[in-house]
């Protein structure tokens, strides 16, 4: 048994480790890599695993739950509340239209109406796992399309619950509810009690999130045992999942709510970093399962029907989504991203279809066929996203920019964008302002933003690495971007985003130290300002003066040193890549210092400077006349 | 002319620590509460001259010495910066610009080449006075009296004894000016202040 488990783990992990990097290298998302890996090891290609793909998927759906918990963590309750209209409005529109159209099509194909409805509802669902994973991976969560996708997906998650309740009603006498998917405790209770239980459990999540989980985490954090904190994080997610399944709600939705409740707690980032690897692995496993469960035998038997169904269903879904996008006034490129990204049939379809099968709403072959269609559409979807991104989006992206310009909107947009208004950025902003240059400021600290707004600064609150925020700040028209964010990693991300989407921007970047500067040089930046350089040189200049050096000489030596150091920086930045082996980083730093000191020796600054040197002239003239 | 004069020495040397002649000259400046030695390169290594401070200094002195090595027929750049920033329109010159009226200005210079090379026939083809025309005009425009320079020529070849002699002359000159023992018009009749000092020794 243990051997069997090890063997399976070996197969799955090896498949993932081999396929995902290859997929990434070719420019595909990791989702596609996992799916292909699943197909590869599945029963129809290498046959390394049998028909257990479905079981694996079932287990791995927990990854989806975790993903929603993490998404909830990143969402502030206030922001979530703001989205409520989009969730209900856009969600209803998409679900209603898609289900309606698919139902009509089903009827047209001669399905009984109950079957047609069950199938239509199942196929309406999009894949939360695929869509959100790709959006996050590409940093598109905060774009208009990302937000719309998220709203629709959330609505679908909610929709699963009533659909699961309705399906048994569609199958009157045939239903043998012994083997139903959801072993809900409340199934036999009257409707009003069920409603009460649902409301009750949501309240439980809210109250326990506030008054039970946070104090608990506080105690756990005090033990300073990292693995115990990880265990607590897992415990939170699993208990929410369990509670939701007990009352027959969607675990994903419950986890999402729990995440939102904990988003304001001080443990938000710890929870996030502890759960991210689990989420990633489980989601990967889930995609592997999807890939492995595609029934290629069935597809090869009736390829025309399968492919036709996939194409037809995805086309209907995409068209409805395009219409929804239109209604919410998405731009052309955003709308395409939204529609193509969400056009697949999602993992909830597996649940709903197998449930319908048990209820005899759909017969065996139909269920198998639709399962295959679902899995296939999930596989195709990342490819569609890729095609859109590579070939279609660039075309529309450009066209839209031209349209926007001709619209001639004059906002309060300044030529300079200043990202980060901490101690570093604020000095820049103040100096600029003292000279009548107003910059558009992006900052992440809400208190500071409020103060700055009061002072009449043009400030945008938010993560400066977000594309839509940069757009809102006028990055399209701005001339310069000052990247002065405290966290170097965020700063790099901002620079990469800006370089990719606003190549015209002149980027001037803050670097914490020499090593940050190397990264920036690698990014192709020219204007790099090391915060440790100028202050340290200034101090050293003052030391020289206090030791009796002439002020002007010391100042010039400081200026020369900066120049010399900049040259050395650029030289060593190139050499750095030659060193293949990275030893301990401390050791490396010492070696680096040594290299620096060596170059200093070669170029003794004071010995080569003979400007205004009366004694030097005297020596030369004296030699000549002798 | 018995009143004590206040002397302001505006010293401009970008590499004073490597200077021999000026080091000795500066060492021989008399210690007196009436002489202000103002080391411009030490004060403004960033060239950010403070005009309010400089104007106040000027107002408190009667004789202003532009003391500098003679580089490329002129003064080191910070002295020009000082002139540009300090001598404001409406204060030093122009309408109402009478703050420097009747003050005395002169240059103290050191040059590597000998005195003979600074003549119509010499290597440099012009006299030092010719080269100092911008300073003369600057002083004149500010309604001040401009005197010929105190110059130490030939510093490249000057030996210790010769240098010491020059330094003592500078010291003597400043002491005499301090005492107010002179007629402001007479120095203008000499090509160098050195000559006036040597030839009118009491």
């Amino acid at each position: 048994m243990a051997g069997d488990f090890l063997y399976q783990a070996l197969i799955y992990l090896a498949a993932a480790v081999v396929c995902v990097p290859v997929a990434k290298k070719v420019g595909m998302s990791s989702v596609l890599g996992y799916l292909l890996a699943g197909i590869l090891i599945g029963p129809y290609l290498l046959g390394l695993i049998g028909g257990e793909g479905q079981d694996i998927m079932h287990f791995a759906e927990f990854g989806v739950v975790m993903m929603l918990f993490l998404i909830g963590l990143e969402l502030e309750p206030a922001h979530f509340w703001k989205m409520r209209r989009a969730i209900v409005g856009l969600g209803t529109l998409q679900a209603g239209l898609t289900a309606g159209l698919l139902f009509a099509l089903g009827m047209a194909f001669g399905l009984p109406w109950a079957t047609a409805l069950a199938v239509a509802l199942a196929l309406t669902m999009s894949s939360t796992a695929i869509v959100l994973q790709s959006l996050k991976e590409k940093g598109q969560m905060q774009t208009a399309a990302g937000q719309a996708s998220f709203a629709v997906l959330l609505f679908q998650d909610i929709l699963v619950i009533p659909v699961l309740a309705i399906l048994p009603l569609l199958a009157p006498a045939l239903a043998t509810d012994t083997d139903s998917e959801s072993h809900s405790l409340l199934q036999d209770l009257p409707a009003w009690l069920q409603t009460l239980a649902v409301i009750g459990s949501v309240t439980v999540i809210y109250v326990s999130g506030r008054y039970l989980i946070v104090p608990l985490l506080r105690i756990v954090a005090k033990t300073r045992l990292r693995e115990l904190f990880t265990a607590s994080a897992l415990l939170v997610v699993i208990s929410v999942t369990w509670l939701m399944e007990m009352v027959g709600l969607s675990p994903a939705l419950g986890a999402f709510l729990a995440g939102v409740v904990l988003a304001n707690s001080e443990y938000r980032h710890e929870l996030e970093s502890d759960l991210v690897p689990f989420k990633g692995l489980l989601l990967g496993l889930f995609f592997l399962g999807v890939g492995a469960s595609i029934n290629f035998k069935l597809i090869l038997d009736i390829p025309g029907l399968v492919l036709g169904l996939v194409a037809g269903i995805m086309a209907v879904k995409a068209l409805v989504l395009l219409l929804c996008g239109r209604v919410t006034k998405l731009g052309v490129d955003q709308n395409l991203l939204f529609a193509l990204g969400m056009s697949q049939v999602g993992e909830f379809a597996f649940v709903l279809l197998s449930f319908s099968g048990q209820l005899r709403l759909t017969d065996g072959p139909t269920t198998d066929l639709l399962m295959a269609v679902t899995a296939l559409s999930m596989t195709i979807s990342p490819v569609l996203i890729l095609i859109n991104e590579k070939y279609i989006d660039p075309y529309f992206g450009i066209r839209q920019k031209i349209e926007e310009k001709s619209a001639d909107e004059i906002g309060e947009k300044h030529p300079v964008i200043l990202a980060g208004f901490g101690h570093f950025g604020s000095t820049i902003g103040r100096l600029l302002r003292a000279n009548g240059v107003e910059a558009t400021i992006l900052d992440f600290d809400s208190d500071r933003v409020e103060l700055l707004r009061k002072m009449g600064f043009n400030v945008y609150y938010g993560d400066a690495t977000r594309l839509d925020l940069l757009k809102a700040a006028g990055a399209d028209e701005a001339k310069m971007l000052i990247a002065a964010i405290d966290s170097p990693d965020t700063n790099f991300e901002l620079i990469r985003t800006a370089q990719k989407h606003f190549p015209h921007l002149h980027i001037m970047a803050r670097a914490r130290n020499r090593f940050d500067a190397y990264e920036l040089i690698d990014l192709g930046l020219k204007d790099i300002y090391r915060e440790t350089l100028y202050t340290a040189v200034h101090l050293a200049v003052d030391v020289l003066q206090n030791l009796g050096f002439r002020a002007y000489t010391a100042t010039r030596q400081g200026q020369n040193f900066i120049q010399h150091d900049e040259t050395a920086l650029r030289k060593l930045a190139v050499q750095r890549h030659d060193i293949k082996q990275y030893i301990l980083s401390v050791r490396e730093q010492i070696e680096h210092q040594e290299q620096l000191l060596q170059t200093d020796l070669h170029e003794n600054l004071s010995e080569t400077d003979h400007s205004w040197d009366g004694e030097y002239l005297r020596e030369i003239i004296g030699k000549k006349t002798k | 002319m018995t009143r004590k004069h206040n002397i302001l020495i505006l010293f401009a040397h970008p590499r004073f620590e490597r200077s021999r002649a000026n080091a000795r000259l500066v060492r021989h400046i008399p210690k007196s509460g009436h002489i202000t030695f103002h080391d411009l390169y030490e004060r403004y290594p960033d060239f950010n001259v403070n005009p309010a401070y400089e104007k106040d200094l000027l107002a408190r002195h009667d004789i202003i010495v532009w003391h500098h090595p003679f580089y490329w027929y002129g003064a080191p750049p910070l002295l020009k910066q000082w002139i540009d920033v300090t001598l404001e329109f409406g204060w030093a010159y122009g309408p109402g610009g009478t703050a420097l009226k009747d003050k005395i200005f002169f240059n103290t210079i050191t040059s590597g080449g000998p005195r003979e090379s600074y003549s119509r026939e010499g290597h440099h083809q012009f006299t030092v006075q010719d080269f100092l025309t911008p300073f003369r005009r600057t002083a004149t425009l500010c309604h001040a009296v401009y005197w010929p320079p105190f110059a130490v020529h030939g510093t490249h070849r000057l030996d210790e004894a010769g240098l010491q002699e020059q330094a003592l002359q500078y010291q003597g000159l400043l002491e005499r000016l301090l005492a107010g023992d002179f007629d402001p018009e007479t120095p203008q009749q000499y090509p160098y202040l050195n000559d006036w000092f040597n030839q009118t020794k009491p």
Side-chain angles (χ1 to χ4, degrees), chain A residues 90 320-332 335 338:
Chain A
L90 202 59
V320 170
L321 286 163
L322 271 178
L323 185 76
C324 294
R326 249 283 125 92
V327 171
T328 43
K329 300 200 174 68
L330 288 182
V332 182
N335 201 357
F338 174 57

Side-chain angles (χ1 to χ4, degrees), chain B residues 91-192:
Chain B
W91 182 82
Y93 71 104
T98 55
L100 302 178
K101 194 167 186 300
D102 298 333
K103 289 185 192 296
I104 293 165
F105 280 76
F106 70 90
N107 293 64
T108 292
I109 59 169
T110 55
S111 82
R115 178 169 174 168
E116 308 83 70
S117 64
Y118 290 94
S119 66
R120 309 269 170 205
E121 301 77 30
H123 182 63
H124 298 292
Q125 299 180 10
F126 293 92
T127 65
V128 165
Q129 287 241 39
D130 291 337
F131 288 124
L132 292 175
T133 305
F135 291 96
R136 183 172 63 238
R137 283 300 310 149
T138 300
T140 315
L141 195 67
C142 298
H143 317 288
V145 177
Y146 185 70
W147 280 357
F150 179 87
V152 180
H153 281 301
T155 55
H156 290 331
R157 308 278 162 97
L158 210 56
D159 60 12
E160 293 302 308
L163 193 55
Q164 181 63 17
E165 193 192 323
Q166 297 282 333
L168 287 172
Q169 276 185 27
Y170 193 40
Q171 181 180 351
L173 172 74
L174 291 172
E175 276 163 357
R176 191 154 155 197
L177 296 179
L178 211 52
D181 182 17
F182 59 85
D183 168 14
E185 303 301 324
T186 47
Q188 287 173 321
Q189 296 155 21
Y190 296 83
Y192 285 92

Side-chain angles (χ1 to χ4, degrees), chain A residues 186 189-198:
Chain A
L186 311 168
L189 295 176
W192 66 270
L193 250 178
Q194 285 193 28
T195 317
L196 214 66
V198 168

Side-chain angles (χ1 to χ4, degrees), chain A residues 483 488 491-493 495-496 499 507-530 569-570 573 576:
Chain A
N491 224 23
F492 296 153
E493 208 184 317
I495 291 164
R496 278 190 217 104
Q499 283 180 327
I507 302 173
M508 309 177 90
R510 159 192 187 178
R512 208 178 26 167
N513 53 34
R514 172 173 295 280
F515 294 95
D516 284 1
Y518 289 146
E519 302 272 328
L520 294 170
I521 288 174
D522 287 349
L523 286 175
L525 248 59
K526 292 214 167 52
D527 303 280
I528 299 161
Y529 302 88
R530 273 177 287 159
L569 180 83
R570 272 158 217 282
R576 191 178 60 121

Side-chain angles (χ1 to χ4, degrees), chain A residues 545 549-557 559 606 609-619 621 625, chain B residues 11 13-20 39 41-47 71 77 155-158 160:
Chain A
Q545 283 186 45
F549 275 74
R550 295 273 300 165
Y552 185 61
T553 301
T555 304
R556 264 169 49 86
Q557 287 302 327
Q559 288 164 346
S606 51
D609 181 14
H610 299 302
S611 314
W612 311 297
D613 187 342
E615 280 302 274
Y616 179 70
L617 271 181
R618 234 175 100 80
E619 278 164 29
I621 289 166
T625 45
Chain B
F11 181 69
H13 198 313
R15 211 62 194 277
F16 187 42
E17 69 272 46
R18 297 286 292 170
S19 131
R20 185 179 71 118
D39 189 344
Y41 271 94
E42 192 66 8
R43 178 93 185 192
Y44 301 119
D46 50 4
F47 276 52
Y71 289 149
T155 55
H156 290 331
R157 308 278 162 97
L158 210 56
E160 293 302 308

Side-chain angles (χ1 to χ4, degrees), chain A residues 514 517-518 521 530 533 560-576 592-593 595-601 603:
Chain A
R514 172 173 295 280
Y518 289 146
I521 288 174
R530 273 177 287 159
L533 176 63
N560 288 339
F561 184 84
I562 287 174
Q563 259 179 30
H564 157 70
D565 196 62
E566 295 280 345
T567 318
L569 180 83
R570 272 158 217 282
K571 210 161 82 193
L572 292 176
V574 181
Q575 282 180 11
R576 191 178 60 121
H592 197 86
Q593 282 286 356
Q595 263 181 305
L596 273 178
L597 294 172
Q598 287 286 351
T599 39
D600 288 354
L601 276 183
E603 194 174 337

Side-chain angles (χ1 to χ4, degrees), chain A residues 253-473:
Chain A
L253 188 67
F256 172 73
L257 282 177
V260 172
V261 171
L262 291 174
N264 277 347
S265 81
E266 65 265 43
Y267 298 108
R268 173 179 163 181
H269 295 295
E270 278 90 342
L271 285 171
E272 234 176 307
S273 59
D274 275 356
L275 289 179
V276 160
F278 288 100
K279 177 211 80 171
L281 269 181
L282 285 170
L283 271 185
L285 198 55
F286 173 76
F287 295 130
L288 277 170
V290 172
S293 70
I294 296 177
N295 191 339
F296 281 98
K297 192 169 165 296
L298 188 74
I299 296 171
L300 288 178
D301 283 348
I302 37 169
L305 183 60
V306 174
L307 293 179
L309 272 176
V310 171
I313 291 166
M314 290 183 82
V316 168
K317 296 190 76 166
L319 285 174
V320 170
L321 286 163
L322 271 178
L323 185 76
C324 294
R326 249 283 125 92
V327 171
T328 43
K329 300 200 174 68
L330 288 182
V332 182
D333 55 336
Q334 291 288 307
N335 201 357
L336 272 173
L337 179 65
F338 174 57
L340 290 179
M342 301 261 299
S343 62
Q344 77 291 101
V345 183
E347 57 274 5
F348 281 123
F350 290 122
V351 178
L352 293 175
L353 285 171
S354 62
F355 191 37
S356 310
Q358 283 155 20
L359 295 170
R360 310 269 149 75
L361 276 168
T362 49
D363 53 20
T366 315
T367 311
D368 278 354
L369 174 65
L370 290 174
M371 291 272 207
V373 166
T374 303
L376 206 56
S377 83
M378 283 170 86
T379 313
I380 291 173
S381 164
V383 181
L384 272 182
I385 296 175
L386 192 70
I387 291 175
N388 175 46
E389 183 186 314
K390 283 257 157 79
Y391 303 104
I392 307 175
D393 200 35
Y395 169 70
F396 282 107
I398 289 162
R399 218 184 66 173
Q400 211 192 5
K401 244 174 233 158
I402 295 165
E403 277 170 13
E404 266 171 24
K405 253 194 192 144
S406 62
D408 198 19
E409 51 172 305
I410 304 163
E412 245 217 302
K413 284 173 182 164
H414 304 305
V416 180
I417 298 175
L418 172 56
F421 207 74
H423 290 294
F424 194 92
S426 62
T427 310
I428 302 169
R430 280 169 48 216
L431 177 56
L432 292 181
R433 191 173 222 218
N435 289 279
V437 177
E438 289 288 345
T440 301
I441 296 161
L442 305 179
D443 198 81
F444 205 40
D445 182 331
S446 55
D447 291 344
R448 197 151 61 201
V449 167
E450 200 158 302
L451 173 79
L452 289 172
R453 284 235 173 97
K454 268 188 209 146
M455 301 288 293
F457 283 95
N458 190 18
V459 200
Y460 286 79
Y461 167 73
D463 181 353
T465 61
R466 273 168 43 192
L467 185 58
D468 61 333
L469 194 75
L470 281 170
K471 276 210 165 117

